[in-house]
Amino acid sequence: MTRRFAALLVALVTSAFCALSLGGRLYYFLAVLFALLIVFSFISCLWAKNSLQCRLYIPNHKVQRGEQMEVQLLMRHGCLLPLASIQCAYHTPLGPQQCDFPTAPLTDYEIGLTLDSVHVGTFSVSLDAIYVQDLFSLFRMKKTLKNQQDAYLVLPNPYPIDKPEVLPGDDGSAALGRTQEDYNAPEDTRAYLPGDAMKRIHWKLSSRRRELVVRRFEMPAPPDTLILMDAAQPQAEKADDIPFLRDALCETAVAVAKLQMEDGSPVRMPLHGKSATEFVSDQAEGLGQLKEMLAARSFAEAEDFAHILRLELRRMRRTGAVVILTTRLNAGIVEGITSIRRMGPSARLYLCTRTPEDPELIPYISRLQHHLVEVCYVTPA
């Protein structure tokens, strides 16, 4: 009910009182007219509310950050009486919104909404309620909608970066040599050639064939590029900066992976936490999967990143370059990075922060650079 209804109800009561008191036909006519208006408005609103059908639909559930997401609202009602308005209330990542539908009956209407994709992550759009108002604006009825919700992913949009370099003298030949010296995985044998190491000779087979035979081993894959990202809630002075720091972490990780996979280099990116998983690929076609995995991360993990760095030391035998992404530096994280560097692979740190000149960071940065760790600053957009 609206204020107009309250005013009309007062007029109806007054007219009826005057008609009964004075017996004037005009008062009877006004009382009946006001009553018919109320009944007409109530029936039209109730009819429209009960016959109304509305649905939310997202054609494409994935969009790059910075692009626009298209959302469709579909509506139809069967009320043959005229209506003043049909208003839809929906909720987006930017807050509650409203839009108006045409009121013509027995017609399918479709309204397209455009949402700006500001931050990386998983977001939802929900259709909350429909408000119906009669022609005379006496009643405004609400129809609550259930299960009218859909989610979409805003994927990281990578930016150009410099290619992580494998340090001179550690270009993967050491890893190849270690694999060739693994006598537990011979692939085949061949005749001895001058210069072959004596320890590679297959002595039993050589004695049977009465000629020297050496083992051949599988050629190992090139060393991996390992990407380690701090998935805890980003460290920021202002809460409003947290989504921007998350964007910077995800887009830097994708940029590194894209650059490596374009050359066919294998990339590994473990994602720790409650839903632990790992991305592994050496083809550029796998970049879409990495984007989706990062967009689905909550960045609310409580696990210590320094502990994760210590766990990943076991991978260093097959790793040629390590890229670390974080929004914080402390003694534990710095010790973990330097331990990785001492294991042999090159190391590059991407520090996502709005305060690169923070004096508390200077000792940590100096220590990392002393251990030949390349330090890069990323300022969120």
Side-chain angles (χ1 to χ4, degrees):
M1 293 181 291
T2 64
R3 292 181 179 179
R4 286 191 180 186
F5 171 78
L8 186 63
L9 186 61
V10 171
L12 170 62
V13 172
T14 303
S15 300
F17 178 79
C18 293
L20 295 174
S21 301
L22 302 177
R25 294 183 177 180
L26 177 61
Y27 296 115
Y28 279 110
F29 174 78
L30 290 176
V32 171
L33 178 61
F34 293 156
L36 289 176
L37 286 177
I38 292 175
V39 171
F40 175 85
S41 298
F42 180 78
I43 291 176
S44 62
C45 272
L46 188 63
W47 189 356
K49 173 188 173 182
N50 292 335
S51 64
L52 190 144
Q53 299 175 351
C54 197
R55 185 168 66 92
L56 181 144
Y57 170 66
I58 298 180
N60 183 12
H61 290 78
K62 302 172 189 175
V63 66
Q64 294 271 101
R65 190 175 79 90
E67 298 178 351
Q68 292 184 324
M69 169 60 68
E70 297 294 333
V71 179
Q72 303 295 331
L73 298 180
L74 310 177
M75 190 277 295
R76 177 187 178 91
H77 75 90
C79 179
L80 301 179
L81 301 178
L83 299 169
S85 67
I86 298 178
Q87 195 171 61
C88 172
Y90 58 97
H91 198 278
T92 72
L94 300 179
Q97 308 286 337
Q98 290 185 344
C99 66
D100 293 325
F101 277 104
T103 58
L106 305 178
T107 306
D108 295 324
Y109 292 105
E110 180 176 332
I111 293 182
L113 307 175
T114 302
L115 306 179
D116 293 328
S117 303
V118 181
H119 297 295
V120 175
T122 304
F123 303 96
S124 62
V125 181
S126 61
L127 195 55
D128 300 330
I130 299 291
Y131 296 92
V132 180
Q133 191 163 307
D134 66 276
L135 183 64
F136 301 103
S137 300
L138 301 181
F139 293 91
R140 178 180 169 87
M141 294 187 179
K142 174 184 177 181
K143 181 173 183 176
T144 303
L145 302 174
K146 297 181 179 179
N147 302 322
Q148 291 295 328
Q149 182 174 350
D150 206 350
Y152 64 94
L153 290 176
V154 178
L155 305 178
N157 191 10
Y159 58 92
I161 64 169
D162 295 329
K163 183 177 178 62
E165 297 292 342
V166 179
L167 292 180
D170 187 27
D171 58 356
S173 58
L176 295 176
R178 287 194 297 270
T179 307
Q180 289 170 349
E181 296 301 328
D182 184 4
Y183 298 113
N184 295 320
E187 182 185 36
D188 199 356
T189 58
R190 60 171 174 83
Y192 174 82
L193 296 175
D196 287 335
M198 296 297 291
K199 58 185 177 181
R200 298 182 62 187
I201 296 177
H202 196 310
W203 293 106
K204 290 184 179 181
L205 188 58
S206 298
S207 63
R208 289 200 300 266
R209 294 186 180 181
R210 296 187 178 182
E211 64 177 353
L212 290 178
V213 178
V214 297
R215 297 179 178 90
R216 290 196 314 173
F217 298 89
E218 295 181 2
M219 185 62 65
D224 299 336
T225 297
L226 183 64
I227 303 176
L228 301 176
M229 185 176 68
D230 188 352
Q233 179 170 305
Q235 177 177 291
E237 294 183 356
K238 301 179 181 178
D240 294 341
D241 282 341
I242 292 178
F244 294 97
L245 290 169
R246 169 180 174 161
D247 297 340
L249 286 172
C250 294
E251 293 182 346
T252 305
V254 174
V256 173
K258 178 182 178 182
L259 201 60
Q260 294 299 95
M261 290 190 294
E262 285 176 348
D263 295 339
S265 301
V267 173
R268 292 182 178 272
M269 185 172 182
L271 297 173
H272 295 265
K274 294 181 180 179
S275 56
T277 183
E278 181 170 335
F279 171 79
V280 182
S281 179
D282 59 356
Q283 301 294 327
E285 291 77 10
L287 198 63
Q289 179 188 359
L290 177 60
K291 290 181 179 181
E292 294 178 20
M293 292 170 65
L294 292 176
R297 300 297 293 182
S298 64
F299 280 81
E301 304 293 347
E303 191 166 0
D304 184 13
F305 188 51
H307 176 64
I308 293 175
L309 293 175
R310 291 192 295 269
L311 289 178
E312 295 300 329
L313 288 174
R314 67 185 187 276
R315 299 177 184 261
M316 296 305 114
R317 183 174 179 272
R318 292 284 309 137
T319 301
V322 180
V323 176
I324 302 101
L325 303 100
T326 184
T327 60
R328 59 177 60 81
L329 278 183
N330 55 43
I333 292 177
V334 171
E335 178 60 32
I337 297 174
T338 54
S339 297
I340 288 174
R341 179 65 192 91
R342 284 194 293 265
M343 293 287 290
S346 64
R348 175 185 290 184
L349 169 68
Y350 283 99
L351 181 60
C352 301
T353 178
R354 289 194 182 276
T355 57
E357 69 284 353
D358 187 351
E360 294 183 2
L361 297 176
I362 295 178
Y364 298 134
I365 298 298
S366 300
R367 183 179 174 187
L368 291 172
Q369 292 175 337
H370 176 73
H371 287 84
L372 302 181
V373 176
E374 184 181 3
V375 179
C376 302
Y377 294 98
V378 179
T379 302

